Structure formats: C-alpha cells, structure tokens
C-alpha cells in the first residue's frame, strides 16, 4: 500500500511481490533537498529531485564572485526561451573564459561573466540595448550531458533591475521578471 507503506496480500495469486521483496521496497522515498542560490540554504524538495541534506549542505555555500565562466559552460550554445512569456526565436550564446556573446531576437549582448558558486552565473552587460548596458543579469544554471555528444543547459536569468538570481527554475518559468532558456552545445 503506497499510502500506509504496509505490505498487503495481493488480490489474486501470482500477482505482486514476495513478502520479503515487498518489505524491502515498500518504504517512503527519502527526503531530498535543493540549494536556494539566493540565501544559500538547503530547502526540502519533492523526493527524488534533489540530494541528501548532507550533500546539499556541502555544496550550498556562498562563494566570493569571480570574473570567470564555469568550465562546463564554456563553449557555443544554441537554444530557446521557455518561460511563460517566451520570445519566439533562436538564441546563440558563446561563453569564453570570462566573457560572453549573446545573439537573439531581442538583439545582441556581450560582456563579462561572473561566477558566484553554487551554479550561479551572472552576465554583466557591456554592449547591447541601451536599457541593459551596465546592468547585471543574475542567473542560475544546470548542465546535463545527454546521450552521445550533446550537453544541455538550463539557464534562468533575472531582469536587469533585480539584484538576485531567480530562486529556482520553476520560479523563473512563471516570473515576469525572469527569463529561462534551454540550450544545447
């Protein structure tokens, strides 16, 4: 019974698991945690969508910002905006050791990257639309290696007026002041 986590006799002979197999498997999923990149605390999440509390606490720390790009982000990426108010079109982004170049439907941007740890990546805009020049887009990212050679990245960025990254990818998806992208290299 997946509600009470008690093993029960199957309705028909030959169905279900043996009693020993049932007792080994019929347990609630372990609590998992994700790092909140804004306040650097571990928060409970849906079972299976995070890590143990110990692993979360080991990696969820504030790190002094550096003008650099994480190694797994360096390269040329192509993708789409996927948040609720998405802009139609393709986005191309090239991340170098400490800089970026962004091309998309809204125009071109370039500037300096800033890593603050815990999967945070900020884009400091030096060239682009006048409304964004000199502003910082605070972001969070996650990369996953696909089957074969592709690598996928989810990137969520605040608007140019926010002073913190989105608190989560789910939050960025629904927030009018944030943008979320799925990219591939």
């Amino acid at each position: 019974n997946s509600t009470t986590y008690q093993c029960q006799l199957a309705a028909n002979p030959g169905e279900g698991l043996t009693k020993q197999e049932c007792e080994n498997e019929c347990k609630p999923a372990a609590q998992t945690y994700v790092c909140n990149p804004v306040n650097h605390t571990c928060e409970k999440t849906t079972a299976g969508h995070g890590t143990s509390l110990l692993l979360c606490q080991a990696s969820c720390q504030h790190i002094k910002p550096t003008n650099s790009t994480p190694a797994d982000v360096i390269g040329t990426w192509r993708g789409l905006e996927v948040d609720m108010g998405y802009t139609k079109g393709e986005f191309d982004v090239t991340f170098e050791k400490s800089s970026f170049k962004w091309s998309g439907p809204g125009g071109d941007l370039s500037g300096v990257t800033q890593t603050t740890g815990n999967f945070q990546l900020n884009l400091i805009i030096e060239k682009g639309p006048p409304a964004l020049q000199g502003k910082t887009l605070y972001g969070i990212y996650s990369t996953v290696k696909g089957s074969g050679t592709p690598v996928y990245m989810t990137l969520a960025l605040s608007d140019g007026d926010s002073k913190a990254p989105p608190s989560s990818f789910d939050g960025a998806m629904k927030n009018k002041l944030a943008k979320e992208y799925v990219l591939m290299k």
Side-chain angles (χ1 to χ4, degrees):
N1 182 318
S2 60
T3 304
T4 63
Y5 300 104
Q6 299 293 316
C7 293
Q8 297 175 336
L9 191 59
N12 297 312
E15 290 182 353
L17 304 172
T18 67
K19 183 176 182 187
Q20 184 61 45
E21 288 171 332
C22 180
E23 288 173 351
N24 289 340
E25 293 185 25
C26 192
K27 299 174 187 170
Q31 179 62 58
T32 55
Y33 298 82
V34 294
C35 179
N36 179 321
V38 176
N39 61 21
H40 307 286
T41 59
C42 293
E43 299 175 350
K44 290 181 180 180
T45 189
T46 305
H49 290 123
T51 63
S52 69
L53 181 59
L54 186 63
L55 285 174
C56 181
Q57 289 172 332
S59 64
C60 191
Q61 305 166 25
H62 177 71
I63 298 172
K64 185 177 177 184
T66 62
N67 286 347
S68 63
T69 303
D72 59 336
V73 173
I74 292 174
T76 299
W77 300 80
R78 177 172 283 165
L80 303 170
E81 184 177 341
V82 296
D83 54 81
M84 299 298 252
Y86 69 93
T87 301
K88 290 182 183 178
E90 181 180 292
F91 295 84
D92 297 309
V93 189
T94 299
F95 291 100
E96 295 178 356
K97 186 176 179 182
S98 61
S99 64
F100 74 95
K101 291 180 184 172
W102 184 289
S103 297
D108 296 342
L109 305 171
S110 63
V112 176
T113 56
Q114 183 184 64
T115 301
T116 55
N118 300 321
F119 303 100
Q120 290 187 24
L121 176 65
N122 303 330
L123 307 180
I124 303 167
I125 300 170
E126 295 176 334
K127 293 181 183 175
L132 288 175
Q133 285 184 17
K135 294 196 174 184
T136 299
L137 304 180
Y138 295 90
I140 55 175
Y141 77 95
S142 174
T143 58
V144 175
K145 180 153 177 43
S147 60
T149 56
V151 177
Y152 301 94
M153 174 168 55
T154 304
L155 175 65
L157 298 169
S158 66
D159 69 352
D161 295 320
S162 296
K163 299 298 179 201
S167 61
S168 69
F169 294 114
D170 286 346
M173 183 72 73
K174 300 171 189 168
N175 187 337
K176 292 181 181 180
L177 301 178
K179 301 287 183 188
E180 187 161 344
Y181 304 88
V182 174
L183 306 161
M184 182 177 82
K185 74 171 176 175

